Amino acid sequence: MMHVVRQHTGWIEVICGSMFSGKTEELIRRLRRAMIARQKVAIFKPKIDTRYSTTEIVSHDKQKIKSKAVEKPEEILHHALEAQVVGIDEAQFFDNSLVDICQKLANMGKRVIVAGLDQDYLGKPFEPIPQLLAVAEYITKTHAICVVCGNPANHTYRKTKQKDKVVVGAADIYEARCRNCFVPPEKEEEEESQ
Ligand code: ZN
């Protein structure tokens, strides 16, 4: 006969979408629920993202929750040993080692909630989010509202001409756009030069 050993099972939740789609708000909402239930919560964000605060994650609508800024995903493992719930914001700014770290945390029995941009400003999948989506138990895709036409927006449009993949900014640099209104920058340049 097979032995069924009941174990404390962890899992991975991913919250992804364009900028201004409420990813961080949703992450904060879930983490607050866990805190109300007196679960031990540890929250992390990449050191690169200092738009609003270095010791908190802050949503565009100014909701806050205390977090630790780390440079590399391994640091999360080290600081999250005691936690039952691990929250990670702006995951697109971490390298692909984040995937293994999330797997390890979930295998240790922790609930891991990761929020991040799923596409870059070119409309291409933004690693390591695609890899995380593949191994996650639960996926939530959030939508913003297209600033041009009001349809649900799935893309992040960069208003400036900078070409680096990572340019940290908010409404000064980016806006949410739907499939119809999103024009990748290289296409836009082609059209301008014609
Ligand atoms: Zn639109």
Side-chain angles (χ1 to χ4, degrees):
M1 216 179 117
M2 242 173 54
H3 287 274
V4 179
V5 183
R6 271 180 194 272
Q7 281 182 330
H8 197 64
T9 312
W11 66 85
I12 299 172
E13 301 167 32
V14 177
I15 304 163
C16 68
S18 68
M19 282 184 73
F20 315 108
S21 64
K23 297 182 299 295
T24 300
E25 280 166 71
E26 178 58 20
L27 175 65
I28 291 174
R29 191 187 71 78
R30 292 184 195 181
L31 294 171
R32 285 236 166 93
R33 289 300 158 288
M35 287 167 166
I36 289 166
R38 299 206 170 78
Q39 294 180 334
K40 282 186 203 151
V41 175
I43 305 157
F44 302 91
K45 66 174 185 178
K47 250 190 189 141
I48 188 171
D49 183 33
T50 53
R51 276 172 297 184
Y52 301 103
S53 168
T54 51
T55 54
E56 291 166 321
I57 55 172
V58 184
S59 64
H60 290 290
D61 72 345
K62 306 281 188 287
Q63 290 191 62
K64 295 173 189 180
I65 198 161
K66 277 220 178 328
S67 72
K68 182 162 185 57
V70 294
E71 249 157 66
K72 287 182 184 157
E74 301 113 82
E75 295 172 55
I76 296 175
L77 197 61
H78 178 71
H79 292 289
L81 291 175
E82 299 290 306
Q84 294 166 282
V85 181
V86 181
I88 302 167
D89 198 19
E90 302 289 358
Q92 75 281 353
F93 293 144
F94 286 116
D95 63 29
N96 279 351
S97 69
L98 182 67
V99 182
D100 271 349
I101 298 297
C102 289
Q103 293 273 56
K104 275 187 190 147
L105 291 166
N107 290 342
M108 289 161 79
K110 301 178 195 301
R111 175 186 178 192
V112 184
I113 315 171
V114 188
L117 279 175
D118 50 6
Q119 293 170 46
D120 63 15
Y121 78 108
L122 299 168
K124 301 267 161 61
F126 206 151
E127 295 188 356
I129 302 295
Q131 288 80 355
L132 280 167
L133 289 173
V135 297
E137 274 83 355
Y138 304 100
I139 297 164
T140 302
K141 188 125 173 172
T142 52
H143 298 93
I145 292 170
C146 177
V147 296
V148 179
C149 74
N151 276 321
N154 188 34
H155 295 283
T156 305
Y157 176 76
R158 186 183 284 170
K159 297 189 276 183
T160 61
K161 301 271 175 215
Q162 287 148 293
K163 291 225 164 65
D164 302 296
K165 184 167 176 182
V166 176
V167 177
V168 177
D172 52 334
I173 303 181
Y174 296 102
E175 62 188 28
R177 294 215 182 170
C178 74
R179 184 178 287 277
N180 287 337
C181 301
F182 176 76
V183 188
E186 70 273 37
K187 210 167 164 226
E188 214 169 40
E189 274 168 28
E190 265 169 43
E191 281 163 13
E192 274 166 20
S193 64
Q194 271 167 14

